[in-house]
Amino acid sequence: MKIKQLIHECDNLAARYYRLDSGSRERAARDWKLKVEETAKLIQSRFKKPKMNKLHHTPPHPDHASDHT
């Protein structure tokens, strides 16, 4: 799922929250929070920096990446 689409869904859920009366907002707030967390995780995974090799300060070679965990 694209980040822009997830952000749009977050916006829609926030708008839904504000349209509801105060007695019905708890579930809408939870739905919004879960969507924001999903979006944040996707953003973090897309922009995650590669793990650095402690000795050489370079990312590990893909063939040896499991050796450095």
Side-chain angles (χ1 to χ4, degrees):
M1 199 175 268
K2 294 182 179 182
I3 293 172
K4 284 184 180 183
Q5 182 180 354
L6 285 170
I7 291 171
H8 181 70
E9 290 177 21
C10 290
D11 291 344
N12 288 342
L13 289 169
R16 181 177 140 227
Y17 171 86
Y18 284 107
R19 283 193 304 267
L20 295 171
D21 63 6
S22 60
S24 303
R25 287 183 170 179
E26 186 175 333
R27 180 174 177 178
R30 185 177 65 245
D31 292 345
W32 173 81
K33 181 179 183 259
L34 290 172
K35 186 59 71 175
V36 168
E37 289 172 348
E38 177 186 350
T39 304
K41 286 179 184 177
L42 179 63
I43 291 169
Q44 288 173 345
S45 70
R46 294 259 176 104
F47 295 101
K48 188 176 181 181
K49 292 182 179 180
K51 195 172 187 178
M52 301 302 277
N53 182 321
K54 292 178 185 175
L55 297 175
H56 300 83
H57 302 291
T58 58
H61 190 276
D63 295 338
H64 301 95
S66 62
D67 299 343
H68 299 287
T69 57

